[in-house]
Structure formats: C-alpha cells, structure tokens
C-alpha cells in the first residue's frame, strides 16, 4: 500500500468518527435551534442519531423543512402507534435461512454482514431488526457457506445490512475470497447508501480489491438516494470511479412524504442520476415499520406521480414503483 492509499483508507473512518451524533449538534451546524423545537424526539439508544458531515453540508441553512434533514430528524410523532405498522414489516425474520443469509427470492440471496450504517434514516425498515442476525465475523459464517454450496441455483449474492460498506477492507478481502470459491455465484450486488453519505469509503484500494475479481464476478451497485440535493460533487466523483471500472450502477429510492413526494423532485432525481450513469431502478412504497408512519404517501398519490414521470421522461429514467410484501418471492409492482 502506498502512503497515499493508506491515508484514503483511514479517511472514511475518521469522517465517521466525526459524524453528528445528536440532533442539537447537527441543527446548530445548519443554523437551527433544537431548544425552539418541542416536536423533537428525546432519543432512546436502540436507534440513535447519526449523520455524516458531508451529508449535512448538502442541507439548506435555517430550514426545518429541508428534505435531507427530514430523513434523519427524530420526531415525537414516531411514538404514535399506527394500525398496520410493526417491527418486522417485510417478514425478514421468517426468511432467515442460515446465519446472516436471507433467502426469500429464488435465484438470489441477501447476506447481512453488519448491522451498522453511516447514517440513520428514520424511515428505515430494518430499524428494529435484531443485530444478532447479522454476521459479526470475517468472511461467511459456516452455515451460510454450507447453504450456498448446497443451493447451486443461487447465482447472485446481495450484500445488504445495515450498510455492507461499513465492513473493513480486510473483511471484504476474506468475503470475496470465500465467495469466489463457490462456483455458482457469478454476481455480487452491493446495496448501499454509503456512496451518497460517505463517498470517501470507496477509495482506490477498495476499488482495486473489487476489480481484482472483475473476471470472476459481475459487480452491481444499488445505491440509495431519495432527493437530487443528495447528489453532490463528491458523490459524482465516486460514481465516476465505479463507471470507469465498468460496474453496473442502479439507484433505489423510498417514496417519502415531505422529502420526494412530487413528480418535479423525482424527475430531477432521475435526470441527475442518468447524468452520472446511474439507472433509476426502484421507487419503494414505504415499508410499514413502527416509527415511520409520518413518512407514508398513499399509493394513489404514488401512482399519479408515476403517471407524470412516464409522461415526462424516457422509459429508462422511470423507476419501477414497488412494494415489498412479507413472504412474497418478488416485489409487487404498483
Ligand atoms: C428486494 C429484495 C431482493 C432483490 O430483489 P430484486 O428484485 O432482485 O432487486 C432480494 N431479497 C430480498 C429479501 C429483497 O427484499
Ligand atoms: S439500512 Fe439504509 S435506510 Fe436503513 S438506516 Fe441504514 S442506510 Fe438508512
């Protein structure tokens, strides 16, 4: 490793240590006063506050309604119980097949290598997911290994979480080595919000590690961006690196009230993504997780937003509007 690469691989961890860990700190940074906000939630420790500085820098100053702030700000309304909402909205716990593996969809399996994230999104459907079902060891747990070897119809491993890019490079080195030894696995898909919230994580040494396997695996990224203001220059640069390495790039968004529930915003998002070489893949109807009900957009409104997008945009810029249903082996188109 060159000295320069060492610096870059440590930089993201430093940035993470430096992230905002309380609403008051972040609000102060963007010119707002937590004390004048009786609607803020006193945080409990099970889903603490976490926002990186690079993400915070994209928020407007002095605006309680900023769409990026809305995604991370803990509100008292989270405590309101709403019928139909629960702690495991998509049936994750029933689909657990082997330590850290979630096998719900036929040919592909989710591996959850870590419960950690670089940001805590208040609408997250895994906000109550027990961390004990994610792997904490280097590489694949033995049971997961056996499962993949036995089920040769599985040709794609989706790294999910948490955010899989929270793992260290050493962990990835081991994981890719082990996956490469399973002949049926030909694609690795990375579901991550880190290119948006902590782009420095994708430094050159990490990319080299992936590109080492470019003959063995097709690399597919599904990033998670909800609003065009999230796409800052550092994010663009990172996506450019991935494009240069011929990785396939997609985005998924969650339809969120007060964030992106408008055709104008989603149109801008698609245009910006395509400009960066990222294909809009899914627009998710909110999963009904406790604490996120205030983000819900009725499906009828979602459908009319989709109609506008279809009128305005080329087909490849229109994401699929879908809902995840417990126990169903594919996403339901809406
Ligand atoms: C969404 C999802 C996948 C991947 O679905 P694709 O339609 O292939 O993008 C796989 N497993 C689970 C449990 C999922 O929720
Ligand atoms: S898993 Fe994704 S949506 Fe959930 S908190 Fe982490 S980054 Fe946000």
């Amino acid at each position: 490793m060159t000295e320069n690469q060492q610096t870059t691989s440590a930089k993201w961890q430093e940035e993470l240590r430096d992230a905002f860990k309380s609403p008051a700190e972040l609000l102060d940074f963007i010119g707002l006063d937590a004390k004048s906000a009786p609607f803020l939630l006193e945080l409990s420790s099970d889903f603490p506050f976490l926002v990186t500085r690079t993400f915070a820098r994209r928020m407007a100053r002095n605006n309680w309604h900023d769409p990026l702030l809305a995604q991370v700000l803990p509100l008292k309304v989270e405590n309101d119980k709403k019928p139909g909402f629960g702690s495991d909205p998509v049936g994750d716990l029933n689909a657990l097949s082997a330590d850290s593996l979630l096998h719900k969809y036929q040919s592909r399996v989710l591996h959850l290598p870590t419960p950690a994230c670089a940001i805590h999104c208040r609408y997250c459907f895994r906000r109550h997911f027990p961390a004990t079902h994610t792997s904490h060891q280097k590489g694949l747990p033995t049971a997961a290994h056996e499962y993949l070897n036995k089920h040769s119809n599985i040709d794609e491993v989706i790294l999910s979480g948490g955010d899989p890019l929270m793992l260290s490079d050493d962990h990835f080195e081991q994981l890719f080595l082990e996956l490469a030894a399973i002949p049926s696995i030909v694609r690795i898909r990375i579901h991550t919000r880190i290119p948006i919230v902590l782009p420095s994580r994708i430094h050159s040494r990490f990319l080299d590690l992936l590109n080492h396997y470019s003959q063995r695996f097709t690399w597919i990224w599904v990033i998670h961006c909800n609003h065009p203001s999230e796409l800052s220059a550092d994010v663009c640069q990172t996506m450019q690196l991935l494009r240069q390495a011929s990785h396939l790039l997609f985005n998924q968004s969650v339809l969120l009230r007060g964030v992106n529930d408008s055709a104008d915003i989603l149109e801008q998002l698609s245009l910006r993504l395509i400009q960066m070489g990222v294909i809009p893949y899914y627009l998710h109807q909110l999963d009904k997780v406790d604490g996120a009900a205030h983000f819900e957009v009725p499906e009828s409104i979602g459908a009319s937003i989709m109609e506008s997008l279809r009128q305005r945009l080329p087909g490849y810029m229109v994401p699929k509007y879908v809902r995840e249903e417990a126990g169903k082996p594919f996403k339901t188109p809406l």
Side-chain angles (χ1 to χ4, degrees):
M1 217 195 308
T2 67
E3 201 177 309
N4 181 42
Q5 281 172 327
Q6 253 172 9
T7 325
T8 46
S9 66
K11 188 171 166 255
W12 70 276
Q13 278 145 335
E14 222 167 87
E15 267 188 63
L16 204 55
R17 276 192 294 275
D18 217 24
F20 294 110
K21 297 190 187 64
S22 78
E25 259 183 298
L26 168 70
L27 291 168
D28 186 51
F29 181 75
I30 56 174
L32 292 167
D33 182 7
K35 287 198 271 319
S36 69
F39 47 84
L40 288 184
L41 178 70
E42 288 287 333
L43 277 181
S44 58
S45 58
D46 61 337
F47 193 52
F49 187 86
L50 185 65
V51 178
T52 56
R53 284 177 185 261
T54 173
F55 192 75
R57 278 195 285 273
R58 302 169 213 160
M59 294 175 186
R61 285 193 62 77
N62 259 308
N63 179 5
W64 284 108
H65 301 291
D66 178 83
L68 276 54
L69 178 64
Q71 296 177 50
V72 295
L73 198 62
L75 301 179
K76 278 194 181 138
V77 290
E78 290 183 23
N79 285 334
D80 297 351
K81 278 272 168 199
K82 191 165 172 203
F85 281 68
S87 63
D88 181 22
V90 301
D92 271 348
L93 294 176
N94 275 333
L96 279 165
S97 304
D99 266 355
S100 82
L101 282 192
L102 240 157
H103 192 193
K104 191 167 161 190
Y105 288 25
Q106 219 166 56
S107 60
R108 49 230 189 272
V109 71
L110 246 64
H111 173 48
L112 311 176
T114 169
C117 290
I119 190 169
H120 289 165
C121 315
R122 304 310 301 177
Y123 55 84
C124 180
F125 76 100
R126 290 219 179 98
R127 55 184 281 174
H128 308 293
F129 192 72
T132 45
H133 290 304
T134 55
S135 159
H136 292 270
Q137 68 190 76
K138 240 186 199 179
L140 282 177
T142 314
H145 222 278
E146 280 168 7
Y147 192 87
L148 291 173
N149 270 315
K150 217 181 307 160
H151 295 78
S152 55
N153 62 318
I154 298 172
D155 61 0
E156 176 170 335
V157 170
I158 304 172
L159 305 179
S160 184
D163 197 311
L165 289 196
M166 291 294 279
L167 291 184
S168 69
D169 292 353
D170 288 352
H171 271 74
F172 276 114
E173 211 166 335
Q174 178 72 23
L175 181 61
F176 297 155
L177 197 68
E178 290 180 18
L179 287 173
I182 303 170
S184 45
I185 308 295
V186 294
R187 291 184 307 279
I188 298 183
R189 196 195 312 181
I190 305 175
H191 277 193
T192 174
R193 190 146 162 72
I194 278 185
I196 303 294
V197 300
L198 191 65
S200 60
R201 168 68 186 95
I202 296 133
H203 54 75
S204 55
R205 186 186 163 220
F206 178 67
L207 271 176
D208 290 347
L209 183 60
L210 271 67
N211 292 334
H212 175 75
Y213 291 99
S214 57
Q215 301 296 314
R216 176 66 184 80
F217 298 125
T218 303
W219 292 107
I220 303 165
W221 293 72
V222 182
I223 63 169
H224 172 180
C225 175
N226 299 315
H227 190 282
S229 302
E230 293 173 40
L231 299 170
S232 55
D234 51 346
V235 174
C236 284
Q237 277 162 12
T238 291
M239 299 321 287
Q240 209 163 357
L241 290 175
L242 299 176
R243 274 179 89 190
Q244 280 160 2
S246 302
H247 297 192
L248 298 175
L249 309 177
F250 298 94
N251 179 62
Q252 53 184 342
S253 309
V254 182
L255 183 59
L256 298 168
R257 189 151 71 113
V259 175
N260 59 7
D261 53 339
S262 103
D264 287 347
I265 291 169
L266 290 175
E267 180 187 12
Q268 284 309 312
L269 178 60
S270 280
L271 289 166
R272 291 288 319 277
L273 286 167
I274 287 294
Q275 206 176 19
M276 294 168 32
V278 181
I279 297 180
Y281 179 41
Y282 279 143
L283 175 66
H284 295 276
Q285 179 64 18
L286 182 83
D287 294 317
K288 293 179 187 292
V289 68
D290 279 336
H294 58 294
F295 284 112
E296 195 179 29
V297 178
E299 281 178 21
S300 58
I301 294 185
S304 72
I305 292 174
M306 287 303 297
E307 181 68 26
S308 306
L309 291 181
R310 275 190 289 271
Q311 280 169 16
R312 298 181 194 186
L313 292 169
Y316 59 84
M317 287 200 206
V318 181
K320 295 181 188 116
Y321 181 35
V322 294
R323 183 178 52 212
E324 176 74 15
E325 283 174 25
K328 203 165 166 186
F330 51 84
K331 308 239 185 279
T332 308
L334 290 171

